[in-house]
PDB file of all heavy atoms in Angstrom:
ATOM      1  N   PRO A  33       2.959 -16.443   5.044  1.00 30.00           N
ATOM      2  CA  PRO A  33       3.479 -15.469   6.060  1.00 30.00           C
ATOM      3  C   PRO A  33       2.696 -14.155   5.854  1.00 30.00           C
ATOM      4  O   PRO A  33       2.239 -13.779   4.774  1.00 30.00           O
ATOM      5  CB  PRO A  33       4.880 -15.270   5.625  1.00 30.00           C
ATOM      6  CG  PRO A  33       4.941 -15.609   4.192  1.00 30.00           C
ATOM      7  CD  PRO A  33       4.052 -16.773   4.029  1.00 30.00           C
ATOM      8  N   GLU A  34       2.434 -13.496   7.035  1.00 29.00           N
ATOM      9  CA  GLU A  34       1.761 -12.173   7.121  1.00 29.00           C
ATOM     10  C   GLU A  34       2.787 -11.142   7.104  1.00 29.00           C
ATOM     11  O   GLU A  34       3.930 -11.233   7.615  1.00 29.00           O
ATOM     12  CB  GLU A  34       0.849 -12.165   8.287  1.00 29.00           C
ATOM     13  CG  GLU A  34      -0.164 -13.156   8.328  1.00 29.00           C
ATOM     14  CD  GLU A  34      -1.307 -13.113   7.357  1.00 29.00           C
ATOM     15  OE1 GLU A  34      -1.271 -12.033   6.651  1.00 29.00           O
ATOM     16  OE2 GLU A  34      -2.081 -13.940   7.270  1.00 29.00           O
ATOM     17  N   PRO A  35       2.388  -9.880   6.672  1.00 29.00           N
ATOM     18  CA  PRO A  35       3.304  -8.726   6.828  1.00 29.00           C
ATOM     19  C   PRO A  35       3.463  -8.464   8.359  1.00 29.00           C
ATOM     20  O   PRO A  35       2.523  -8.657   9.088  1.00 29.00           O
ATOM     21  CB  PRO A  35       2.556  -7.620   6.103  1.00 29.00           C
ATOM     22  CG  PRO A  35       1.159  -8.010   6.053  1.00 29.00           C
ATOM     23  CD  PRO A  35       1.147  -9.533   6.039  1.00 29.00           C
ATOM     24  N   ASP A  36       4.558  -7.907   8.692  1.00 28.00           N
ATOM     25  CA  ASP A  36       4.766  -7.551  10.146  1.00 28.00           C
ATOM     26  C   ASP A  36       3.862  -6.381  10.507  1.00 28.00           C
ATOM     27  O   ASP A  36       3.323  -5.663   9.665  1.00 28.00           O
ATOM     28  CB  ASP A  36       6.220  -7.307  10.433  1.00 28.00           C
ATOM     29  CG  ASP A  36       6.769  -6.072   9.673  1.00 28.00           C
ATOM     30  OD1 ASP A  36       6.012  -5.069   9.456  1.00 28.00           O
ATOM     31  OD2 ASP A  36       7.925  -6.180   9.257  1.00 28.00           O
ATOM     32  N   ALA A  37       3.661  -6.291  11.793  1.00 26.00           N
ATOM     33  CA  ALA A  37       2.695  -5.340  12.328  1.00 26.00           C
ATOM     34  C   ALA A  37       3.161  -3.976  11.995  1.00 26.00           C
ATOM     35  O   ALA A  37       2.240  -3.018  11.807  1.00 26.00           O
ATOM     36  CB  ALA A  37       2.471  -5.505  13.805  1.00 26.00           C
ATOM     37  N   ALA A  38       4.349  -3.679  12.002  1.00 26.00           N
ATOM     38  CA  ALA A  38       4.960  -2.328  11.727  1.00 26.00           C
ATOM     39  C   ALA A  38       4.490  -1.887  10.340  1.00 26.00           C
ATOM     40  O   ALA A  38       4.107  -0.779  10.139  1.00 26.00           O
ATOM     41  CB  ALA A  38       6.422  -2.304  11.928  1.00 26.00           C
ATOM     42  N   SER A  39       4.736  -2.740   9.298  1.00 26.00           N
ATOM     43  CA  SER A  39       4.382  -2.381   8.047  1.00 26.00           C
ATOM     44  C   SER A  39       2.912  -2.150   7.815  1.00 26.00           C
ATOM     45  O   SER A  39       2.456  -1.451   6.927  1.00 26.00           O
ATOM     46  CB  SER A  39       4.901  -3.399   6.970  1.00 26.00           C
ATOM     47  OG  SER A  39       4.220  -4.645   7.113  1.00 26.00           O
ATOM     48  N   ALA A  40       2.055  -2.887   8.635  1.00 26.00           N
ATOM     49  CA  ALA A  40       0.670  -2.738   8.457  1.00 26.00           C
ATOM     50  C   ALA A  40       0.164  -1.416   8.913  1.00 26.00           C
ATOM     51  O   ALA A  40      -0.938  -0.982   8.458  1.00 26.00           O
ATOM     52  CB  ALA A  40      -0.038  -3.840   9.291  1.00 26.00           C
ATOM     53  N   SER A  41       0.878  -0.697   9.721  1.00 26.00           N
ATOM     54  CA  SER A  41       0.490   0.659  10.207  1.00 26.00           C
ATOM     55  C   SER A  41       1.386   1.822   9.729  1.00 26.00           C
ATOM     56  O   SER A  41       1.031   2.924  10.160  1.00 26.00           O
ATOM     57  CB  SER A  41       0.281   0.592  11.679  1.00 26.00           C
ATOM     58  OG  SER A  41       1.628   0.379  12.239  1.00 26.00           O
ATOM     59  N   ALA A  42       2.403   1.559   9.036  1.00 27.00           N
ATOM     60  CA  ALA A  42       3.272   2.634   8.614  1.00 27.00           C
ATOM     61  C   ALA A  42       2.632   3.529   7.669  1.00 27.00           C
ATOM     62  O   ALA A  42       1.805   3.085   6.905  1.00 27.00           O
ATOM     63  CB  ALA A  42       4.571   1.971   8.034  1.00 27.00           C
ATOM     64  N   PRO A  43       2.986   4.797   7.614  1.00 26.00           N
ATOM     65  CA  PRO A  43       2.396   5.729   6.693  1.00 26.00           C
ATOM     66  C   PRO A  43       2.687   5.346   5.285  1.00 26.00           C
ATOM     67  O   PRO A  43       3.786   4.815   5.012  1.00 26.00           O
ATOM     68  CB  PRO A  43       3.063   7.093   7.056  1.00 26.00           C
ATOM     69  CG  PRO A  43       3.467   6.899   8.458  1.00 26.00           C
ATOM     70  CD  PRO A  43       3.852   5.464   8.542  1.00 26.00           C
ATOM     71  N   ALA A  44       1.700   5.460   4.363  1.00 29.00           N
ATOM     72  CA  ALA A  44       1.952   5.085   2.945  1.00 29.00           C
ATOM     73  C   ALA A  44       2.578   6.285   2.181  1.00 29.00           C
ATOM     74  O   ALA A  44       2.316   7.430   2.489  1.00 29.00           O
ATOM     75  CB  ALA A  44       0.667   4.648   2.295  1.00 29.00           C
ATOM     76  N   SER A  45       3.364   5.867   1.194  1.00 27.00           N
ATOM     77  CA  SER A  45       3.848   6.955   0.262  1.00 27.00           C
ATOM     78  C   SER A  45       2.752   7.313  -0.653  1.00 27.00           C
ATOM     79  O   SER A  45       1.855   6.685  -0.748  1.00 27.00           O
ATOM     80  CB  SER A  45       5.090   6.462  -0.451  1.00 27.00           C
ATOM     81  OG  SER A  45       4.780   5.338  -1.130  1.00 27.00           O
ATOM     82  N   THR A  46       3.007   8.345  -1.437  1.00 45.00           N
ATOM     83  CA  THR A  46       1.840   8.847  -2.283  1.00 45.00           C
ATOM     84  C   THR A  46       2.217   8.996  -3.715  1.00 45.00           C
ATOM     85  O   THR A  46       1.860  10.088  -4.290  1.00 45.00           O
ATOM     86  CB  THR A  46       1.224  10.096  -1.651  1.00 45.00           C
ATOM     87  OG1 THR A  46       2.194  11.129  -1.753  1.00 45.00           O
ATOM     88  CG2 THR A  46       0.723   9.995  -0.300  1.00 45.00           C
ATOM     89  N   PRO A  47       2.866   8.107  -4.374  1.00 26.00           N
ATOM     90  CA  PRO A  47       3.042   8.304  -5.781  1.00 26.00           C
ATOM     91  C   PRO A  47       1.749   7.988  -6.492  1.00 26.00           C
ATOM     92  O   PRO A  47       0.781   7.459  -5.926  1.00 26.00           O
ATOM     93  CB  PRO A  47       4.047   7.217  -6.167  1.00 26.00           C
ATOM     94  CG  PRO A  47       3.981   6.235  -5.045  1.00 26.00           C
ATOM     95  CD  PRO A  47       3.584   6.935  -3.781  1.00 26.00           C
ATOM     96  N   ALA A  48       1.644   8.452  -7.761  1.00 27.00           N
ATOM     97  CA  ALA A  48       0.406   8.264  -8.541  1.00 27.00           C
ATOM     98  C   ALA A  48       0.052   6.798  -8.675  1.00 27.00           C
ATOM     99  O   ALA A  48       0.940   5.946  -8.728  1.00 27.00           O
ATOM    100  CB  ALA A  48       0.567   8.918  -9.851  1.00 27.00           C
ATOM    101  N   ALA A  49      -1.267   6.536  -8.815  1.00 30.00           N
ATOM    102  CA  ALA A  49      -1.769   5.200  -9.005  1.00 30.00           C
ATOM    103  C   ALA A  49      -1.323   4.687 -10.358  1.00 30.00           C
ATOM    104  O   ALA A  49      -1.255   5.454 -11.299  1.00 30.00           O
ATOM    105  CB  ALA A  49      -3.237   5.146  -8.879  1.00 30.00           C
ATOM    106  N   ARG A  50      -1.185   3.344 -10.449  1.00 30.00           N
ATOM    107  CA  ARG A  50      -0.767   2.736 -11.742  1.00 30.00           C
ATOM    108  C   ARG A  50      -1.945   2.410 -12.594  1.00 30.00           C
ATOM    109  O   ARG A  50      -2.896   1.785 -12.065  1.00 30.00           O
ATOM    110  CB  ARG A  50       0.073   1.544 -11.410  1.00 30.00           C
ATOM    111  CG  ARG A  50       1.324   1.783 -10.589  1.00 30.00           C
ATOM    112  CD  ARG A  50       1.714   0.553  -9.937  1.00 30.00           C
ATOM    113  NE  ARG A  50       0.807   0.185  -8.823  1.00 30.00           N
ATOM    114  CZ  ARG A  50       0.483  -1.087  -8.569  1.00 30.00           C
ATOM    115  NH1 ARG A  50       1.031  -2.030  -9.115  1.00 30.00           N
ATOM    116  NH2 ARG A  50      -0.406  -1.337  -7.557  1.00 30.00           N
ATOM    117  N   SER A  51      -1.994   2.649 -13.830  1.00 32.00           N
ATOM    118  CA  SER A  51      -2.899   2.240 -14.850  1.00 32.00           C
ATOM    119  C   SER A  51      -4.274   2.535 -14.411  1.00 32.00           C
ATOM    120  O   SER A  51      -5.213   1.718 -14.589  1.00 32.00           O
ATOM    121  CB  SER A  51      -2.743   0.683 -15.079  1.00 32.00           C
ATOM    122  OG  SER A  51      -1.472   0.386 -15.520  1.00 32.00           O
ATOM    123  N   GLY A  52      -4.514   3.661 -13.705  1.00 34.00           N
ATOM    124  CA  GLY A  52      -5.871   4.016 -13.298  1.00 34.00           C
ATOM    125  C   GLY A  52      -6.368   3.297 -12.056  1.00 34.00           C
ATOM    126  O   GLY A  52      -7.409   3.401 -11.691  1.00 34.00           O
ATOM    127  N   ARG A  53      -5.504   2.311 -11.556  1.00 34.00           N
ATOM    128  CA  ARG A  53      -5.984   1.551 -10.360  1.00 34.00           C
ATOM    129  C   ARG A  53      -5.549   2.159  -9.066  1.00 34.00           C
ATOM    130  O   ARG A  53      -4.549   2.802  -8.968  1.00 34.00           O
ATOM    131  CB  ARG A  53      -5.434   0.135 -10.436  1.00 34.00           C
ATOM    132  CG  ARG A  53      -5.858  -0.627 -11.690  1.00 34.00           C
ATOM    133  CD  ARG A  53      -5.323  -2.047 -11.769  1.00 34.00           C
ATOM    134  NE  ARG A  53      -5.796  -2.811 -10.566  1.00 34.00           N
ATOM    135  CZ  ARG A  53      -4.918  -3.168  -9.572  1.00 34.00           C
ATOM    136  NH1 ARG A  53      -3.773  -2.755  -9.590  1.00 34.00           N
ATOM    137  NH2 ARG A  53      -5.465  -3.856  -8.482  1.00 34.00           N
ATOM    138  N   ARG A  54      -6.303   1.948  -8.027  1.00 35.00           N
ATOM    139  CA  ARG A  54      -5.955   2.490  -6.688  1.00 35.00           C
ATOM    140  C   ARG A  54      -4.752   1.682  -6.085  1.00 35.00           C
ATOM    141  O   ARG A  54      -4.734   0.499  -6.210  1.00 35.00           O
ATOM    142  CB  ARG A  54      -7.246   2.480  -5.827  1.00 35.00           C
ATOM    143  CG  ARG A  54      -8.129   3.456  -6.322  1.00 35.00           C
ATOM    144  CD  ARG A  54      -9.457   3.307  -5.510  1.00 35.00           C
ATOM    145  NE  ARG A  54     -10.432   4.428  -5.867  1.00 35.00           N
ATOM    146  CZ  ARG A  54     -11.687   4.391  -5.467  1.00 35.00           C
ATOM    147  NH1 ARG A  54     -12.147   3.374  -4.792  1.00 35.00           N
ATOM    148  NH2 ARG A  54     -12.477   5.344  -5.834  1.00 35.00           N
ATOM    149  N   ARG A  55      -3.966   2.398  -5.339  1.00 30.00           N
ATOM    150  CA  ARG A  55      -2.882   1.789  -4.606  1.00 30.00           C
ATOM    151  C   ARG A  55      -3.383   1.242  -3.351  1.00 30.00           C
ATOM    152  O   ARG A  55      -4.286   1.762  -2.694  1.00 30.00           O
ATOM    153  CB  ARG A  55      -1.731   2.786  -4.308  1.00 30.00           C
ATOM    154  CG  ARG A  55      -1.141   3.288  -5.600  1.00 30.00           C
ATOM    155  CD  ARG A  55      -0.105   4.269  -5.315  1.00 30.00           C
ATOM    156  NE  ARG A  55      -0.457   5.521  -4.691  1.00 30.00           N
ATOM    157  CZ  ARG A  55      -0.375   5.722  -3.441  1.00 30.00           C
ATOM    158  NH1 ARG A  55       0.118   4.802  -2.606  1.00 30.00           N
ATOM    159  NH2 ARG A  55      -0.825   6.845  -2.909  1.00 30.00           N
ATOM    160  N   LEU A  56      -2.824   0.028  -2.921  1.00 30.00           N
ATOM    161  CA  LEU A  56      -3.464  -0.647  -1.801  1.00 30.00           C
ATOM    162  C   LEU A  56      -2.328  -0.988  -0.772  1.00 30.00           C
ATOM    163  O   LEU A  56      -1.200  -1.311  -1.116  1.00 30.00           O
ATOM    164  CB  LEU A  56      -4.107  -1.890  -2.265  1.00 30.00           C
ATOM    165  CG  LEU A  56      -5.114  -1.760  -3.451  1.00 30.00           C
ATOM    166  CD1 LEU A  56      -5.588  -3.082  -3.960  1.00 30.00           C
ATOM    167  CD2 LEU A  56      -6.312  -0.935  -3.046  1.00 30.00           C
ATOM    168  N   ARG A  57      -2.792  -1.134   0.499  1.00 29.00           N
ATOM    169  CA  ARG A  57      -1.917  -1.767   1.520  1.00 29.00           C
ATOM    170  C   ARG A  57      -2.654  -2.807   2.065  1.00 29.00           C
ATOM    171  O   ARG A  57      -3.841  -2.783   2.474  1.00 29.00           O
ATOM    172  CB  ARG A  57      -1.643  -0.685   2.581  1.00 29.00           C
ATOM    173  CG  ARG A  57      -0.952  -1.322   3.827  1.00 29.00           C
ATOM    174  CD  ARG A  57      -0.881  -0.356   4.876  1.00 29.00           C
ATOM    175  NE  ARG A  57      -0.294   0.920   4.353  1.00 29.00           N
ATOM    176  CZ  ARG A  57       0.769   1.400   4.826  1.00 29.00           C
ATOM    177  NH1 ARG A  57       1.476   0.816   5.735  1.00 29.00           N
ATOM    178  NH2 ARG A  57       1.270   2.486   4.317  1.00 29.00           N
TER     179      ARG A  57
END
């Protein structure tokens, strides 16, 4: 299954990245 279209374009929150890795959508 794919994520729905709404979640693909919704604004991302901005908490700090984990373990030095970048956060991804």
